[in-house]
Amino acid sequence: MQALVIVAHGSHLNPDSSAPTHRHADTIRATGAFDEVKTGFWKEEPSLREVLRTVESDEVYVVPLFVSEGYFTEQVIPRELRLSGWDVSEWDSDGLSADTATLSAKDTGQTVHYCGPVGTHEAMTDVLVRRAETVTGDPDVGEDFGLAVVGHGTERNENSAKAIEYHAERVREMGRFDEVQALYMDEEPEVDDVTDYFESEDVVVVPLFIADGFHTQEDIPEDVGLTDDYRTGYDVPSEVDGHRIWYAGAVGTEGLMADVILERAADAGAEIEAAIDTVREETRDAEATGDVALDRETGTAGD
Amino acid sequence: MTDVRDEQIEALVEQLTSGSDPIDFDGLHAAATEDGYALSTPEGGEYEGLSEADLRAAAGDGGVAPYVTNWYYWEEVVGHRGRHRRAFLRHAEAAHEQTVPERYAALEDGMRTEWGEVVVTATLGAHGERRYEIRHTDDAGVDSGPLNVDSDTPDADSEALDRYDDPLDARELATYDDRGRYRPLKSAPSLVSGWVFDDLDGRDAVETLDVFYPASVANWNREREGDLDVTHWRETAERQTGIYDIVEDLPREAVEWVAQACCVDSQCLKRREWQYEEGDDLAADGGAGAFPCREPCSLVVAAARKWTKLAEEETHTYEFELTPSEKEQIEAIIDAVADGRVDEIREADVYEGANRYRTRYLRAKRFDDKGNLSGTPTHPNEE
Ligand code: SF4
């Protein structure tokens, strides 16, 4: 028996933080690729300390739903899961290349394949692009469009900026968008100046965040100039300094994120090829224009 | 109810002929011997030297059949893979205390197990299969309505309970309290009522419980097995890093207040088993919940961080002008907020200190235009 455990931050204050985690877990559960799919949280229940006890399988793939390598993936999660003998050198990572380490859980005796975070996986680049498709309602979006990938910046950890750069570069190499730019909330180049960095009239702005929260729902919309007050909402797209800004909200809410979670588990040895194909197909909804139109009206991009 | 299906007998024969140990389960003894099959139950008598056809006939006998279907349910349907799940389901029909016929009789009426704010009722389905119903304890005796396929649109007009059959639907039910506020602590006694999972198998029943009360079944069973690892306050505090590492500095008496504030039954239905440290128990009541709390939860750690910061402040002597009734009123307001009673105080009940009009009157009278009680500044030196 093999289980998947998705671990995420969660919140004591609102359910939006864990909602995407649950949804991706549901998507993966529906494929039947794992005997069990569970979720565990730093701030919600089951806690990281106890989640493995809710798993009956002996073989567990643990995938952190975090944007970058750092404090949570390197210290908090392994400590709270009680992974015996964990040392960050197990991942032998340059800040972007953590893939998997196989350890034993001291608490339950299970074999745990502890994977790198979703945010640094190459498949995440496809989710950024898919997010652009979803928010514009155009499965071929790219031509005459700019794409901004937005991150926190180095305030909390330097790897966070690395992940942003990495995906921005990969989207650039695809040659699909006219321009691609990495932007940050707390360092140069800043998201406040987004329109200075693009020639294209249309710019899709995608924050590389796992869930929507203060940063993606309040700070960035105001910083970008979509609205003076996030509470009044904003249109998608919104006019800012002669550009049409298509603000996508947290990339982590995109259905295709489930694919990245599966890719992480597959890289760690889980045999789930068929599930990966299913998820890639079933999470595509750019053609389903109904949802997107609705989003535009309410002015709350994404979900 | 207790007739035996062919499939169940075949499983029995298969087990006996597979070379594994003879069956000795809940009173059913069965073995393959050199001169045929042997079978016995406490009420059904003893058989020996049975052919397979004889075995079939004997297994279908009224006194024996319940033992066979019971064996089949526990060993073939539930199995041993999920040790905590199995333990809970056994507990739900008092399998360690009652004989099979006693349980079958009791299951006809339904056997109830309270778990936090929900009650699980085990009943007997066809051929000894068990079915489980889960509902809020407040909904005892309420009828269930039609199956709710779209959880967003429960039938608001109906007095009946909304019916569900997917354990994951419990997630939505557990997210908000009856006033629409987010419930960060799943064991807070604020679970909404008005729903029922009326026909679950054992796996889904435990899965549903695990959504309402995450990890509760596993921790309960580890405790039952004498194997619950309790992590006390000191150890939890010392383990913290990052912004939480300061909680180590919270004084012992403050930890007492934390437990009193957060962990009593009126706030959390888990039974607090953690103490200040091994051999140094807290005086606060741990509660009487069905399942244990084995270490301070993230909510308590986060609140403790705030209290640790607040504990760094020095006390200060203030002088306030208050009438005796006003002093008592302030106490009444604090009590009402702490006990979550504010909403129950009637609009016009000015006899209650925490009544809104009374409170507004006190504010109008005793606050200055900067919001200072009795005009006394909070930081006199900075004024
Ligand atoms: S620490 Fe207290 S509040 Fe938190 S789960 Fe345990 S008993 Fe409940």
Side-chain angles (χ1 to χ4, degrees), chain B residues 3-315:
Chain B
D3 53 321
V4 185
R5 279 184 299 136
D6 286 349
E7 192 187 326
Q8 293 173 319
I9 305 223
E10 259 134 46
L12 187 79
V13 171
E14 155 112 34
Q15 164 82 20
L16 295 178
T17 52
S18 67
S20 24
D21 291 339
I23 292 170
D24 174 9
F25 184 77
D26 279 1
L28 174 71
H29 294 270
T33 65
E34 276 172 14
D35 32 64
Y37 295 102
L39 181 74
S40 74
T41 62
E43 289 87 3
E46 288 189 30
Y47 302 88
E48 270 174 24
L50 301 175
S51 67
E52 197 177 315
D54 295 340
L55 180 71
R56 255 169 222 284
D61 180 78
V64 178
Y67 285 92
V68 174
T69 58
N70 179 70
W71 166 83
Y72 183 82
Y73 179 69
W74 289 110
E75 297 299 281
E76 298 289 313
V77 178
V78 177
H80 291 265
R81 272 224 63 95
R83 135 177 161 249
H84 306 312
R85 170 163 51 93
R86 180 183 173 90
F88 176 83
L89 295 174
R90 297 279 285 169
H91 172 72
E93 60 178 72
H96 295 287
E97 292 144 37
Q98 299 188 11
T99 66
V100 171
E102 283 167 347
R103 274 147 60 193
Y104 271 41
L107 286 167
E108 292 286 348
D109 300 333
M111 298 178 80
R112 293 162 42 93
T113 305
E114 287 205 13
W115 202 256
E117 282 183 287
V118 307
V119 57
V120 183
T121 306
T123 53
L124 202 57
H127 314 290
E129 192 202 358
R130 271 56 158 185
R131 304 303 294 176
Y132 303 88
E133 187 221 63
I134 300 180
R135 62 169 68 202
H136 197 289
T137 46
D138 289 352
D139 290 328
V142 183
D143 289 340
S144 44
L147 187 65
N148 197 9
V149 277
D150 178 359
S151 58
D152 292 335
T153 53
D155 182 359
D157 301 333
S158 165
E159 292 283 300
L161 304 177
D162 297 324
R163 276 171 62 204
Y164 296 93
D165 61 1
D166 181 350
L168 292 175
D169 286 336
R171 206 162 62 206
E172 208 128 305
L173 295 169
T175 302
Y176 300 98
D177 67 12
D178 60 2
R179 292 168 54 204
R181 293 177 305 183
Y182 174 53
R183 298 175 68 240
L185 188 67
K186 293 287 170 271
S187 43
S190 57
L191 184 64
V192 294
S193 56
W195 46 266
V196 63
F197 292 78
D198 63 344
D199 188 27
L200 300 172
D201 64 16
R203 177 175 289 277
D204 282 355
V206 172
E207 193 73 37
T208 304
L209 280 190
D210 215 47
V211 177
F212 283 128
Y213 299 110
S216 64
V217 171
N219 286 331
W220 163 86
N221 188 43
R222 287 180 64 145
E223 181 180 54
R224 203 187 58 92
E225 290 174 343
D227 180 30
L228 184 70
D229 56 326
V230 175
T231 307
H232 298 291
W233 175 267
R234 284 297 322 163
E235 202 187 318
T236 303
E238 281 159 15
R239 194 179 79 235
Q240 304 301 316
T241 51
I243 61 169
Y244 296 106
D245 71 350
I246 61 165
V247 303
E248 271 199 78
D249 302 332
L250 194 68
R252 190 196 181 289
E253 63 171 355
V255 177
E256 197 64 77
W257 300 326
V258 171
Q260 251 176 54
C262 306
C263 305
V264 292
D265 278 353
S266 66
Q267 308 302 309
C268 176
L269 296 170
K270 282 192 207 169
R271 173 168 31 82
R272 179 179 56 76
E273 289 297 324
W274 57 266
Q275 305 294 350
Y276 185 67
E277 58 190 333
E278 186 71 47
D280 183 358
D281 287 6
L282 297 170
D285 187 12
F291 43 89
C293 170
R294 46 161 300 283
E295 80 180 314
C297 67
S298 71
L299 198 84
V300 153
V301 171
R305 171 172 182 258
K306 180 68 183 170
W307 287 317
T308 307
K309 290 188 144 192
L310 295 177
E312 287 162 10
E313 286 185 25
E314 296 294 324
T315 59

